[in-house]
Amino acid sequence: MKSKGITVKGIPYMTGAHVYNEVYLDDVHIPSKYIVGQENEGWAVVNVLAGFERSNIDIVMGLVRGLEEIVEFCNANNLSKDPLIRNRLGDIACSIEAVRTLSYYVADQQNRNEMGLMDAAAVKIFSSELLEKYAQIQSDILGPFGIVKSSPWAKMRGTAEYNYQACFVPIVSMGTNEIQRNIIAWYGLGLPRMK
Ligand SMILES: Cc1cc2nc3c(=O)[nH]c(=O)nc-3n(C[C@H](O)[C@H](O)[C@H](O)COP(=O)(O)OP(=O)(O)OC[C@H]3O[C@@H](n4cnc5c(N)ncnc54)[C@H](O)[C@@H]3O)c2cc1C
């Protein structure tokens, strides 16, 4: 990152967070001893990295914790007997358990150096769309508390406000979910590749 020709420009989120940057590489020269993998085989390296990024176990475990916290919130706030809330929580709990199992399967493949491109793409789609669903449920259940982030009135550590604004991110980043579905169709199911 200290090489001549590298420029980093921050991309602030509308939430005020700074997580991402634009990185410009202008005529940057790197000694050949730093090549990762083989010369002209960079795409294979990128594919493995993309698989790691898409396997998203951090999002999955965030969902597991989020579900525990929202159940606690409902129990503590006289909401746990509402049939609509019970129905939505029961529904998302099934999906969270399924994606947790799938993400452990992918982590196990990675641990054995058997990178499953299709399975990583499947976790990416499943977990990102669940995060969006979770953010919607969390914000519906918290009501006005859901828009409060850092104040004594904030519930669930103020996460609802952030989740609601940022839950679209994993649907787009790491390659959009439409592209992941294309990868699954081609690479996983053997359908013809789209140009
Ligand atoms: C918060 C965030 C963080 C990011 N972080 C990084 C990062 O760290 N590094 C990095 O390199 N990039 C990063 N990106 C960029 C991200 O990978 C791209 O935005 C993403 O891959 C989509 O590409 P695009 O924006 O060019 O959309 P496009 O490719 O122009 O797609 C536009 C729309 O058309 C659809 N579409 C496009 N082609 C097809 C097709 N063949 N079939 C069906 N539908 C299609 C897409 O699904 C999408 O809905 C980030 C993006 C976001 C939002």
Side-chain angles (χ1 to χ4, degrees), residues 13 20 53 168-169 172-179 182 194:
Y13 274 16
Y20 289 100
E53 191 177 6
F168 81 96
V169 168
V172 177
S173 62
M174 302 170 258
T176 65
N177 285 7
E178 289 78 19
I179 296 297
N182 262 335
M194 299 290 283

Side-chain angles (χ1 to χ4, degrees), residues 59-80:
I59 294 180
V60 173
M61 297 321 288
L63 283 165
V64 170
R65 181 175 181 191
L67 181 64
E68 285 169 6
E69 287 183 333
I70 207 153
V71 167
E72 271 171 34
F73 177 84
C74 291
N75 279 331
N77 290 278
N78 213 17
L79 295 168
S80 48

Side-chain angles (χ1 to χ4, degrees), residues 1 6 36-39 45 51 54 62 88-89 92 106 108 117 123 128-129 133 153 163 173 194:
M1 292 306 291
I6 297 184
V36 178
Q38 302 298 315
E39 192 174 358
V45 176
R54 290 172 189 155
R88 289 179 80 183
L89 291 181
I92 199 166
V106 171
D108 180 54
L117 201 56
V123 179
S128 60
E129 292 178 3
K133 188 170 174 179
W153 291 101
N163 283 340
S173 62
M194 299 290 283

Side-chain angles (χ1 to χ4, degrees), residues 111-130:
N111 205 30
R112 287 188 279 111
N113 283 331
E114 295 170 13
M115 175 57 70
L117 201 56
M118 169 170 152
D119 300 303
V123 179
K124 194 277 194 195
I125 295 172
F126 201 176
S127 61
S128 60
E129 292 178 3
L130 258 186

Side-chain angles (χ1 to χ4, degrees), residues 18-35:
H18 172 205
V19 184
Y20 289 100
N21 300 298
E22 279 179 298
V23 180
Y24 295 88
L25 306 172
D26 293 312
D27 206 17
V28 178
H29 290 263
I30 308 286
S32 56
K33 65 177 179 178
Y34 291 126
I35 286 181

Side-chain angles (χ1 to χ4, degrees), residues 65-67 69-70 73 134 138 142 154-160:
R65 181 175 181 191
L67 181 64
E69 287 183 333
I70 207 153
F73 177 84
Y134 174 81
Q138 187 187 23
L142 263 57
K155 306 292 181 195
M156 295 184 67
R157 298 176 289 116
T159 52

